[in-house]
Amino acid sequence: MAPETHGGRAKCLQRLVRLDLPVPEAVALSFKAVHGIAAGEMPDMDRILSPFGDAPLLCVRPSSEDPDWGGPGAVLNIGMNDDRYKELSEQMGEEAAATLYLRFVQSFAINVARLDPDMLDDVSDDPIEGLQEALDAYEEEAEEPFPQDPAVQLKAVLRSMARAWEGTTARLLRQAKGAPADAGLGLVVQDMIFGLGRGECGSGVMQLVNSETGVAKITGRYLSQSQGRDALTPGAESLYLEIDRRGPSLEELAPEAFSDLKAHTALMRHKLREEMQAEFTIHNGKVYLLDGVRVARTARAAVAIAVALAEDKIIPREEALMRVEPRALNELLHRQVDPEAPRDVLARGIAASPGAASGKIVFTANEAQAAESRGEPSILVRRETSPEDIRGMHAAAAILTERGGMTSHAAVIGRGIGLPCVVGASEVRFNTKKRHLTFPDGTVLRSGDVITVDGTNGEVLAGEAKMLETARDAALMTLMIWADEVRDIDVRANADTPADAKVARGFKAQGIGLCRTEHMFFEPERLTAMREMIFADSSEDRAAALEVILPMQRADFADLFRIMEGQPVCIRLFDPPLHEFLPTDRSGHRALAEALDLPLSDVTRRVEALGEYNPMLGMRGVRLGVTVPEIYEMQARAIFEATIEASRDGEPVVPEIMIPLVSARREVELVRARVEAIAAAVRSETGEDFTYRLGVMVETPRAALRADDIASQVSFLSFGTNDLTQMTYGLSRDDAGRFMSDYVRQGVYPEDPFHLLDTDGVGELLRLGAERGRRVKPEVTLSICGEHGGNPESIAFCREVGFDYVSCSPFRVPVARLAAAQLAIKDRIS
């Protein structure tokens, strides 16, 4: 008997029987048999009924391969008839017996005979009177008496449940839960244990852990006399297993049964190698196990349970690692909307950064900062964010944008700083001038109104939702230590600020794989110097303007080096086009003209001159380093001086300098020569020696194809898959979200390529780049630093190609560490 032939419930009962646990007599019908029943091929009823004696009382329960796929409801008390009613009336009293018989008549009429439920609406609340009224109503509606033969009743129940499973509605419902169209159903026919009698009787469920936290704690529920008078009487007392309860506990009512139940559940845990919930009935003080199911659990509980099972030597550590879904760790690392809380969904967008937060709507970064100063959480709402919004993004509790995709500015920064973010909410009308949002149902919310952004599910909710807090506990730390012991690829973090670096260290990142330096230029005092540099007419004037920024950059880098304590830090040189540092409206032009003491016309002309039709493919990255070399020279000096400073205070620092947007070997040669000249100058001026590594960010198709030319000039190749995907597909990573869901739904792409690495197309470029780079320089370090670096599927590809490390947002580092460990384990056992 296996779950694939008889279902999970049948297999579990078989295991419980083999453990010699008190399981009522049961007969399991296979998927094949149930399919035959649905087609009218009834099994031998005498053979099924023979184990249960002459006057059976039975229940039939569904047994699907996966309990999440659902199935028809259980039918209880099969075999109740007039004769059995008389017998039970003498044993337990007429009212209790009538209650059992009435329940069966009602269930059979509605769920098996498919009669109109309204026919039973006027049945008396008195069980004895109600029973006779129900039997009369059944006979009138069905035009035949209620069946008295247990075989006839059971046959009808089996046929009804089999046909319900194979109906169109049931099939569509289970397919929506991931079940195959031809998923089978088993049925378990089991002896009824009433839980009614002279001694303590009742039924319930019990487990040994808390489903929310995974902490060892006996929990569950127990209803005394669950099918008798007490269960039907208004105000009947429920007797709970929990410590927080009303009235006496099961342990107090029936200590021997409670002790047996604990022992049975513990044995199930040990022998079935899983935390199990026992479904039980107590009859005259004796425990019977009706079923055992895997304990439902949150992500936090899943981690705690897996670790506890391994620490108790029930499962090996490798199996504990395999039992936790890597992406589920997001639920532990970020606050989440309580799944039990009501959700008033206003709109949906792209789930760009996990977690959830509530706050007042604000429309500018300045408003977000002001709200933070008042201690008020805010939701920063923008059509799309830009680097100048960074300070507001850090101040906000969450971000909502009209435009953008998985690799848009808001998404990347949100993931980097652990900020919930929903982007591409194109069904919402953003009116930033009038400062209000209009949602699809017509709801209008204004600045100051409260909403909740659920970045895990990509939803915008009305009001303040109930939250579940983060859970970075000892069990998670233990699981991560075990993951690090088996994984065979390094995991670094993308971190732009000291705060990001501290988060990365906390998550045990093995260095920084990408530090985007442009975000350091938007502080007010630096922005003014940047603008002076942009308006300078000569190299000397540009260098003079950048002298103001130099000590600030040096301090930034020194902080990063100290925080990372000797671990590698890969610093990407300046990447964005210069127009991003200039105001876009007339009032901003006037303010800049005043600050720089220039005519307004000069400012306007300069802004227009820097405008580009397609700035993502224009004057940015290494192209700026070649044409405006003063920026890279200042940054190289800041890196080297910070290296010397940080190395005096702690571990020796070996910085990695990365040149962005390379497409030709000559670009690397030009930048390399200038960096080497600055390094020599700093060594001469300080009398200190240091080492560094120079590499490139491979984010153009040509750089991947010409990796053999480029690799000879550098120490490492780091593939920036955000831009590489954009250029390979010819898709704007900021705008693709508008139609990507349609493309995925219609099967154009299997998944958003900015969310899941395209291993066929973009992956082919990575593979070619890796092969060609290592052909000319076998020791060249290979890595991926785009947002794909945190995806388990992408990590699998990188391991296959032979990359040395992946780099991802700090809050995705634990996900990547666990995914890498699971991949290593799979390789080991395959």
Side-chain angles (χ1 to χ4, degrees), residues 616-659:
M616 289 301 292
L617 300 179
M619 184 68 76
R620 54 170 283 227
V622 70
R623 298 155 196 170
L624 275 174
V626 170
T627 58
V628 188
E630 295 81 11
I631 300 176
Y632 281 10
E633 289 173 354
M634 180 276 292
Q635 289 192 304
R637 176 173 285 275
I639 292 169
F640 295 141
E641 291 177 355
T643 296
I644 294 171
E645 181 181 327
S647 295
R648 292 194 192 109
D649 302 334
E651 294 288 330
V653 175
V654 180
E656 298 177 352
I657 300 174
M658 183 157 66
I659 310 169

Side-chain angles (χ1 to χ4, degrees), residues 697-773:
M697 193 169 184
V698 181
E699 48 192 331
T700 67
R702 192 178 194 279
L705 295 171
R706 303 302 301 167
D708 45 357
D709 274 354
I710 295 170
S712 63
Q713 301 295 308
V714 296
S715 299
F716 63 89
L717 302 174
S718 187
F719 290 79
T721 53
N722 298 352
D723 265 339
L724 188 57
T725 298
Q726 177 172 246
M727 295 186 191
T728 302
Y729 274 83
L731 286 172
S732 167
R733 69 189 200 190
D734 295 314
D735 299 322
R738 298 181 184 181
F739 60 84
M740 190 54 68
S741 60
D742 289 335
Y743 259 50
V744 173
R745 186 173 62 252
Q746 296 184 53
V748 179
Y749 303 144
E751 181 56 88
D752 182 344
F754 294 108
H755 176 61
L756 194 65
L757 180 67
D758 165 28
T759 55
D760 294 329
V762 179
E764 183 69 12
L765 288 172
L766 265 65
R767 193 184 299 274
L768 286 172
E771 291 173 354
R772 293 176 181 182

Side-chain angles (χ1 to χ4, degrees), residues 400-453:
L400 171 65
T401 70
E402 178 185 16
R403 302 169 185 158
M406 285 299 295
T407 54
S408 63
H409 181 268
V412 170
I413 299 304
R415 289 192 293 271
I417 62 178
L419 195 65
C421 180
V422 172
V423 301
S426 55
E427 59 184 12
V428 182
R429 282 189 287 158
F430 287 58
N431 193 322
T432 54
K433 288 186 177 180
K434 295 184 178 179
R435 301 166 61 76
H436 69 244
L437 303 173
T438 303
F439 292 91
D441 66 352
T443 299
V444 177
L445 295 181
R446 306 180 187 280
S447 179
D449 289 337
V450 175
I451 59 173
T452 296
V453 170

Side-chain angles (χ1 to χ4, degrees), residues 71-82:
V75 179
L76 310 181
N77 304 323
I78 302 163
M80 277 299 296
N81 54 25
D82 295 345

Side-chain angles (χ1 to χ4, degrees), residues 105-117:
V105 172
Q106 292 170 324
S107 175
F108 191 93
I110 295 169
N111 300 314
V112 180
R114 310 293 178 185
L115 302 183
D116 189 344

